Amino acid sequence: MLIYRLQFSDVFPEEEKKDLIDYLKNISKSTLEETISFLNKDDLPDYNDLFSNRTIRNDINGRVENFVRNKKLQIPICVFSTEANLYIFEGIIANRKQLLDENTLRRDTDRDELNIFKSILCVNQSLNEKEEKITLPNESNNMSKIAQVYITLNFSIADLGLYDDIKKELVNLLYVSFYKLKELINFLEQGKYKNYLDGIYNNFNVANQKELLTRVAELYVNVAKIVGKNRFFEVKDNNQQNFLDSLIAKEIKIEDDFVNIRNYPVYKKTDGTYIVLNPFFIMDKFTISLKFFLAKFFGNNIQGDFSNFYNKDFSEKFLMYNLFDSIFDYKYFVKKKTLGEEEAKDEPDYYFRYNNKIFIFEYKDILINKNVKVSRDIEIILSELKKKLLQNKTSDKGIGQLVKHINNIDNNEFPFDDRIKTNKSLKIYPILVLSDRKLEILGINYQFNQWFRDELGDLSHKNIKVQDLVVMSLDSFIVFKNKFKQNKENFRKMLDKQITEMKVGVKYRNIFEIEKKIQKKLLPFSARFINEGITDKDFKEMFREYC
C-alpha cells in the first residue's frame, strides 16, 4: 500500500532534528525495554493514539493535522514500520551500555513517550531521504516503470514480511525453514561433511542433531504463538535457555541491512524471558546465516569451492532435486534424458513433459550484495540482477539459459528429450526458481518476463507456444508441495493463473485510485496463492516429533 511516512520535520518544523541516540538516551531503561516489545506488535497505534497525556496528544494531533492540510496529502500516513522499528532496536542494543546498563533515569511517562515518538520520526526522515528520488508514473501504459518502483521500494525490506496476512506468511516460512534445516543436516551427515555438524552443534549450544531440531522446533512454535502480540515469551527449561543464549549478541555494531540483528535476532530481557527482534530473522538464522557459518570451513570465502559445495551440491542437486522428484512423481511425466554421469552442456536444471506441455526449470541460489540491496537505486538493482539472472560477460544465467533451452527445442537440438515432436502443437512453460525469497516481490516477475520476452524473440515453429516466464522461490515449492502432489494438473493450473493475472490490463487516471488492481497484477506467485499452501495440520505434523 502506498503511504506517506511521517517524519520529524513534518511534526516539529521549529526544532532541529538530532541524532537518534540523543532521543534514546532521554528514555528510562524500563521504557526502552518495553519499547523493544511494544514495537514488535503487528497492530501498532496511529499517531493520534500514542500519548497517555491528553494535552500532549492534542498538541501532536494538531501538528499532524496542520501538516496534512498544508501538504494537501491524500494518501494514508504511517508512523511505524518494520524497517524503522529495527533501526530503533539496533540503536538501543548497539548502545546497550549507555542506554540500558548505565541508565539511571527514572521513569517519566510524558518524557519517555515523546522521545520514543521523536526517535521514530527521526528514523523515518532518514528513510524518506533515501527514497526521495523514487517517482511514481502517472500514465497507465508505463506498467514496466510501475513494476520498477515497487521493486525499488520493497527490495531492501523484502525479507521483513510484505503481505497483509503476515501470520500466514510467517507460518508458511517457519515450516519452510525447518524443512530446509532438516535437509541440510541430512546432507551434511554424508561422510566427509560430518565434522561440519559438530561446529553447528557447538555454535548453538546443543549436543546433537536431535537436540538442535528440538530446540529450533520449540522456538518456531513459540514464534508462531506470539505473532501479532508483544513478541516475548518465557522459557523455564535450562537447555532451551542455553540454546536461546546463542542467539543473543553481547554487543553489536550498527551496519547496513541490520547484519548483526539478523545474526543475533533475540533479546534477553531477564533470565528466562526473551524477545524476538524480528520473526523473519529467526528463520534466516537457521538458513541463510548457517550458509555463512559453513563458509568458515572454506576460509570465509562464499565463492569458489564453497559455492560448488553449497549452491550446487546441496542447494541444487540435493535440496531442489529431491524435492522436485517427490513432487513430480507421475509415471506419465517424461523426465530429462541423462546423457552421462557429468552434467551435459546446456542441460536444464529440471525438466518434464506431459503430453504436449513442456516444463523447463532453471534454479539459481544467489546472494545479493547488501550494498545493492539497500541502495534504493533501481539502476544498481537491475544491473546486479541482470548479471546474476540474465547473462554476464561470459555466459547466460537463469533467464538466458531458459531462452537457450527453448531455442534448442525450436531448432530440434534438445538432446534431453528426443521424443519431442516440434511439428505438432507444443506449449512450453519456462520457470525460474530462486533460492532467496527476497527476490519474489511485487514487480519482479513482471520485470523478469520483460527481459525473457526481449531475449526470446520469434520461433521458427509457429505451433510452439511459449508461456510467459513464471518466477518462483524454492520456498513456494515446499509450501505447495502437498497441493502439487494431490493432482498432476494443480501445478500447471496455478502457473496458468499467475500468467493470466499478470496479463490483465489496468486502466486508471491516477495510480492511487486503483493501487490494489496494480498490485494484484504484479503479485509474486507465493503471495497470489498464499492461502492455498500448508494447513494447520501440515504445520503440526512438521513439529509433532520434536514438541
Side-chain angles (χ1 to χ4, degrees), residues 69-86:
R69 184 169 51 252
N70 295 334
K71 187 81 171 178
K72 297 180 179 179
L73 206 61
Q74 296 181 342
I75 57 175
I77 288 175
C78 164
V79 176
F80 299 104
S81 67
T82 301
E83 189 175 15
N85 296 346
L86 284 169

Side-chain angles (χ1 to χ4, degrees), residues 235-340:
V235 174
K236 295 181 179 180
D237 183 87
N238 288 334
N239 291 327
Q240 184 69 359
Q241 287 184 20
N242 288 336
F243 163 72
L244 291 172
D245 287 346
S246 73
L247 309 181
I248 299 166
K250 294 180 180 179
E251 62 179 74
I252 67 167
K253 295 180 180 179
I254 294 176
E255 290 192 32
D256 288 339
D257 199 29
F258 311 111
V259 169
N260 288 293
I261 291 181
R262 289 176 185 277
N263 205 32
Y264 297 100
V266 174
Y267 175 80
K268 188 173 184 177
K269 187 175 181 181
T270 61
D271 285 342
T273 303
Y274 299 86
I275 299 175
V276 173
L277 298 177
N278 184 276
F280 293 94
F281 291 174
I282 289 285
M283 296 175 294
D284 289 343
K285 177 67 177 178
F286 301 98
T287 50
I288 296 173
S289 293
L290 261 186
K291 180 176 182 176
F292 283 93
F293 178 81
L294 288 171
K296 294 178 181 179
F297 293 100
F298 290 80
N300 292 309
N301 182 7
I302 62 171
Q303 303 301 322
D305 290 342
F306 180 74
S307 179
N308 289 329
F309 155 75
Y310 193 93
N311 298 357
K312 197 72 176 176
D313 294 341
F314 166 65
S315 190
E316 180 183 324
K317 293 183 177 180
F318 187 87
L319 179 62
M320 187 272 284
Y321 280 8
N322 291 343
L323 176 63
F324 281 20
D325 276 346
S326 71
I327 292 173
F328 305 116
D329 185 26
Y330 292 96
K331 62 180 180 179
Y332 303 109
F333 286 2
V334 177
K335 301 295 184 68
K336 68 179 178 181
K337 187 177 180 181
T338 302
L339 302 183

Side-chain angles (χ1 to χ4, degrees), residues 473-518:
S473 66
L474 189 66
D475 293 1
S476 292
F477 285 91
I478 299 171
V479 168
F480 301 114
K481 61 183 172 68
N482 291 337
K483 185 176 180 67
F484 293 159
K485 288 180 179 182
Q486 286 170 2
N487 187 303
K488 63 179 179 294
E489 292 292 339
N490 283 348
F491 178 62
R492 191 266 309 163
K493 288 179 180 179
M494 291 171 76
L495 292 180
D496 283 341
K497 184 173 182 180
Q498 173 72 357
I499 292 165
T500 299
E501 294 287 356
M502 287 195 297
K503 289 181 180 293
V504 172
V506 179
K507 295 181 181 179
Y508 57 93
R509 294 189 305 273
N510 184 294
I511 191 173
F512 303 114
E513 293 178 3
I514 139 176
E515 182 188 351
K516 287 186 178 179
K517 290 185 178 180
I518 294 171

Side-chain angles (χ1 to χ4, degrees), residues 249-449:
K250 294 180 180 179
E251 62 179 74
I252 67 167
K253 295 180 180 179
I254 294 176
E255 290 192 32
D256 288 339
D257 199 29
F258 311 111
V259 169
N260 288 293
I261 291 181
R262 289 176 185 277
N263 205 32
Y264 297 100
V266 174
Y267 175 80
K268 188 173 184 177
K269 187 175 181 181
T270 61
D271 285 342
T273 303
Y274 299 86
I275 299 175
V276 173
L277 298 177
N278 184 276
F280 293 94
F281 291 174
I282 289 285
M283 296 175 294
D284 289 343
K285 177 67 177 178
F286 301 98
T287 50
I288 296 173
S289 293
L290 261 186
K291 180 176 182 176
F292 283 93
F293 178 81
L294 288 171
K296 294 178 181 179
F297 293 100
F298 290 80
N300 292 309
N301 182 7
I302 62 171
Q303 303 301 322
D305 290 342
F306 180 74
S307 179
N308 289 329
F309 155 75
Y310 193 93
N311 298 357
K312 197 72 176 176
D313 294 341
F314 166 65
S315 190
E316 180 183 324
K317 293 183 177 180
F318 187 87
L319 179 62
M320 187 272 284
Y321 280 8
N322 291 343
L323 176 63
F324 281 20
D325 276 346
S326 71
I327 292 173
F328 305 116
D329 185 26
Y330 292 96
K331 62 180 180 179
Y332 303 109
F333 286 2
V334 177
K335 301 295 184 68
K336 68 179 178 181
K337 187 177 180 181
T338 302
L339 302 183
E341 292 185 3
E342 297 296 324
E343 187 172 350
K345 181 181 179 183
D346 296 333
E347 181 177 351
D349 288 337
Y350 203 84
Y351 170 95
F352 70 88
R353 176 172 55 82
Y354 178 55
N355 293 331
N356 69 329
K357 297 179 180 67
I358 295 173
F359 300 83
I360 309 175
F361 303 78
E362 279 297 327
Y363 174 65
K364 289 290 169 276
D365 190 331
I366 63 171
L367 289 172
I368 301 297
N369 185 285
K370 69 176 181 180
N371 294 327
V372 173
K373 185 186 171 191
V374 302
S375 68
R376 288 178 167 83
D377 186 317
I378 192 60
E379 297 301 326
I380 293 175
I381 294 169
L382 293 184
S383 175
E384 180 76 0
L385 292 176
K386 279 186 174 181
K387 285 189 293 185
K388 291 183 177 291
L389 295 171
L390 181 61
Q391 54 196 201
N392 60 23
K393 293 180 180 179
T394 60
S395 63
D396 294 311
K397 301 288 183 182
I399 300 169
Q401 290 171 295
L402 288 167
V403 169
K404 182 175 286 188
H405 300 321
I406 294 168
N407 283 328
N408 287 343
I409 291 173
D410 182 45
N411 296 324
N412 295 307
E413 295 175 350
F414 188 75
F416 308 101
D417 184 355
D418 52 14
R419 296 169 62 188
I420 296 176
K421 297 179 180 179
T422 54
N423 62 334
K424 299 195 180 231
S425 175
L426 290 174
K427 184 180 284 188
I428 301 177
Y429 290 83
I431 303 112
L432 178 66
V433 185
L434 302 172
S435 66
D436 192 345
R437 72 174 189 276
K438 291 191 289 294
L439 293 176
E440 201 184 17
I441 58 174
L442 280 168
I444 281 283
N445 202 152
Y446 188 90
Q447 178 64 63
F448 285 5
N449 186 54

